[in-house]
Amino acid sequence: MDVLRLYVITYNVATKSPEGKLLEILGLPENVNQKTNLPDFYLIGLQEVKSQPHNYVIDALFDDPWTNAFRQALIPYGYVKARTVRLVGLVLSVFCLRKHVVHLRDMESRVTRTGLMGFWGNKGGVTLRLQVYGCSLCFVNSHFAAHDHLLKERISDYNTVLNSQGFSFSETTSILFHDYVFWFGDFNFRLNNSDSLKSPDIDQKVKTGNLASLLEQDQLKAVMVSGEAFSELKESEISFPPTYKYKFQSNEYDLGRRPAWTDRILYKVNANVYENITLEAEQESYSSIQNFSVSDHKPVVGLFSVKVFCNYAERVVKFLPIQSWYTNQENLAHCIMGSDVTPSPYDWVGIYRDDFTSLDEYYGFVYVMRHNGDSGNGMPGLQIPCPKPGDRLELRFYENIIRFPRKYRLLYFSHDSGSVLGMSSSFELKVRDRQASTHLDW
């Protein structure tokens, strides 16, 4: 089997704007030429991203400043944003190395509100599931009820997210049914014995390195043992100080609140779901980034290696080489449906810059279903039958769908945009020489 490396980040940003060196959180070298053994995927879970009611439309259309900042930091290292899922201040973004884009299958997202009895999304969970190299993965970013005394509410939040989120794939209808599950976020679990374990006592134990006695009072560990929440998942040993609550721009605790490990990364492996194959996840590291002080929380990061099937390919659409396109004319592309591809009339092919950095940034698209009297853009007319598995498909792109000469490439998406079934090689859009064009017309 092959190995994928997944880098998980959870960070409550406390409505602050991004600043500082994000490469430190990402675990990347400042010199891009020194990049070696890069993670295959980044899973970035943010909580309390600033979101105002008057910004709802903007928030729905554009990435938040933190996601943009992480994206800009990852671009030089060859990463592409696969998907972002947002619920008010809860944001989950998944980035992957460019080589993995055409292996993304069946991406599906869910959101669950638990704030104000489920009417407000300041607390809850956002989830993205996908299939890659024959294995199913599910990523959940959550923010649960705060304050020491609201333990029952945190337990309820977990179970609400778990029980309310279902998926449309028969073998993975629930979060915990996936081959690999990564659940992270600001869970807000605190330390027990609030009457006898005061903030100064916790601070002193941290300073003397006595984390073990504090972890014995950790609410999350207790409910995992009791089976009330997260009992199906596991967590690696914690060797870093409590991640909340710090003074802003400081490494000193704000002792107005009792310090606690509110920010966590948990995971689950369904190891024996395939015959004669044992799946496995190894956590290579688990730490907080102590020097990053934008928020009153510290970022928590974990690096995992998971086993997936080697040389695995399914539902592949192959593009034939594209020589050149020209401005101010209709252009063509051709692709071949894989034998296991069942095209939908509303599968679509997007046009991207050659160096695209997000699956959201297409310049235009055409549907696989075409009609007489149009150029493939889905306008009404006489329907032409949808291609069948194994067919060679001709795609017609109307003139001026793209206008600026540069290199582009095409990506084929399933109708629900959950799978990237194919990607063309790069090709150039050129301006045809006027004299040559006039001669040819004559």
Side-chain angles (χ1 to χ4, degrees):
M1 300 188 76
D2 281 341
V3 172
L4 287 180
R5 301 175 76 237
L6 312 177
Y7 194 103
V8 183
I9 299 170
T10 180
Y11 190 24
N12 184 320
V13 301
T15 75
K16 300 300 181 182
S17 298
E19 58 181 82
K21 295 181 178 180
L22 294 184
L23 292 181
E24 185 175 5
I25 299 180
L26 295 165
L28 293 171
E30 291 193 25
N31 186 346
V32 69
N33 295 320
Q34 295 177 349
K35 58 183 181 182
T36 56
N37 198 25
L38 294 175
D40 295 282
F41 284 79
Y42 275 92
L43 321 175
I44 302 176
L46 305 173
Q47 306 86 39
E48 291 193 26
V49 174
K50 188 174 183 179
S51 180
Q52 301 297 330
H54 60 274
N55 286 339
Y56 281 166
V57 174
I58 295 175
D59 291 344
L61 295 176
F62 302 101
D63 282 337
D64 64 277
W66 278 96
T67 300
N68 278 327
F70 277 114
R71 178 179 165 187
Q72 292 303 315
L74 288 167
I75 285 173
Y77 298 84
Y79 289 92
V80 171
K81 193 191 80 169
R83 186 71 63 89
T84 292
V85 188
R86 181 169 186 177
L87 172 65
V88 191
L90 260 176
V91 181
L92 169 63
S93 294
V94 176
F95 295 81
C96 67
L97 289 172
R98 183 179 300 270
K99 65 182 180 180
H100 299 307
V101 166
V102 293
H103 296 279
L104 300 175
R105 298 288 183 275
D106 301 330
M107 290 186 288
E108 190 173 43
S109 61
R110 293 289 183 267
V111 299
T112 300
R113 296 171 173 82
T114 60
L116 291 178
M117 300 176 62
F119 290 102
W120 183 239
N122 64 321
K123 298 294 192 290
V126 292
T127 302
L128 178 69
R129 64 89 58 204
L130 57 83
Q131 198 91 1
V132 62
Y133 298 104
C135 291
S136 60
L137 296 90
C138 190
F139 314 126
V140 189
N141 172 30
S142 290
H143 192 190
F144 295 155
H147 306 299
D148 283 27
H149 65 286
L150 295 182
L151 174 59
K152 290 184 179 180
E153 284 75 3
R154 287 187 276 281
I155 294 171
S156 175
D157 286 350
Y158 164 77
N159 285 290
T160 297
V161 173
L162 178 63
N163 295 323
S164 67
Q165 293 194 358
F167 304 93
S168 59
F169 303 97
S170 59
E171 296 181 355
T172 55
T173 55
S174 174
I175 290 173
L176 297 180
F177 292 175
H178 290 77
D179 297 336
Y180 297 102
V181 179
F182 296 89
W183 200 324
F184 43 92
D186 178 3
F187 300 150
N188 261 320
F189 285 97
R190 308 304 173 93
L191 300 180
N192 288 318
N193 295 333
S194 58
D195 293 334
S196 59
L197 193 59
K198 304 295 185 182
S199 294
D201 303 320
I202 298 172
D203 187 38
Q204 184 60 32
K205 287 179 180 289
V206 172
K207 288 178 177 176
T208 58
N210 188 6
L211 300 183
S213 64
L214 293 176
L215 286 167
E216 291 175 357
Q217 303 298 326
D218 178 62
Q219 290 180 345
L220 178 55
K221 290 186 177 298
V223 299
M224 291 174 72
V225 172
S226 69
E228 295 172 276
F230 288 109
S231 60
E232 306 89 348
L233 294 95
K234 67 178 185 178
E235 181 182 27
S236 293
E237 181 180 352
I238 293 176
S239 59
F240 48 88
T243 55
Y244 175 81
K245 173 182 169 87
Y246 286 84
K247 298 175 182 178
F248 287 98
Q249 302 294 341
S250 171
N251 284 332
E252 294 293 324
Y253 287 114
D254 176 355
L255 298 181
R257 296 282 181 88
R258 295 195 312 145
W261 285 276
T262 59
D263 310 281
R264 313 287 276 267
I265 301 172
L266 281 66
Y267 67 102
K268 172 182 173 62
V269 183
N270 286 307
N272 299 308
V273 292
Y274 301 103
E275 187 176 357
N276 300 322
I277 295 290
T278 302
L279 300 182
E280 182 181 339
E282 176 188 354
Q283 185 158 8
E284 300 180 22
S285 63
Y286 191 28
S287 62
S288 64
I289 310 298
Q290 289 298 117
N291 293 328
F292 209 84
S293 304
V294 174
S295 166
D296 54 355
H297 291 248
K298 297 297 183 183
V300 173
V301 301
L303 179 61
F304 297 83
S305 295
V306 302
K307 288 187 176 181
V308 295
F309 295 97
C310 59
N311 300 319
Y312 188 90
E314 63 173 344
R315 290 177 285 163
V316 175
V317 173
K318 181 181 179 181
F319 282 91
L320 300 182
I322 302 172
Q323 299 304 318
S324 291
W325 281 11
Y326 292 93
T327 56
N328 299 314
Q329 71 172 47
E330 183 180 78
N331 289 286
L332 302 178
H334 297 88
C335 57
I336 298 175
M337 304 289 107
S339 60
D340 60 345
V341 175
T342 303
S344 161
Y346 293 101
D347 286 358
W348 59 281
V349 176
I351 307 173
Y352 290 76
R353 285 179 55 155
D354 182 33
D355 57 351
F356 70 94
T357 61
S358 170
L359 294 183
D360 298 329
E361 61 180 19
Y362 55 88
Y363 283 80
F365 70 94
V366 298
Y367 289 114
V368 169
M369 182 180 69
R370 300 205 317 277
H371 301 77
N372 285 344
D374 75 20
S375 298
N377 60 355
M379 298 297 291
L382 177 63
Q383 182 174 328
I384 295 176
C386 185
K388 302 182 296 295
D391 278 358
R392 172 171 167 161
L393 173 65
E394 180 180 88
L395 299 163
R396 294 178 177 269
F397 295 81
Y398 52 89
E399 64 181 55
N400 296 327
I401 190 171
I402 47 175
R403 298 171 179 267
F404 301 104
R406 62 162 61 102
K407 288 189 175 182
Y408 295 90
R409 55 175 78 226
L410 305 177
L411 273 69
Y412 187 111
F413 288 85
S414 61
H415 71 282
D416 56 4
S417 304
S419 301
V420 185
L421 303 186
M423 180 167 63
S424 76
S425 57
S426 64
F427 61 93
E428 191 168 0
L429 178 68
K430 298 179 178 180
V431 177
R432 189 182 294 280
D433 180 77
R434 287 178 176 271
Q435 291 183 347
S437 176
T438 301
H439 176 74
L440 289 172
D441 291 343
W442 183 84

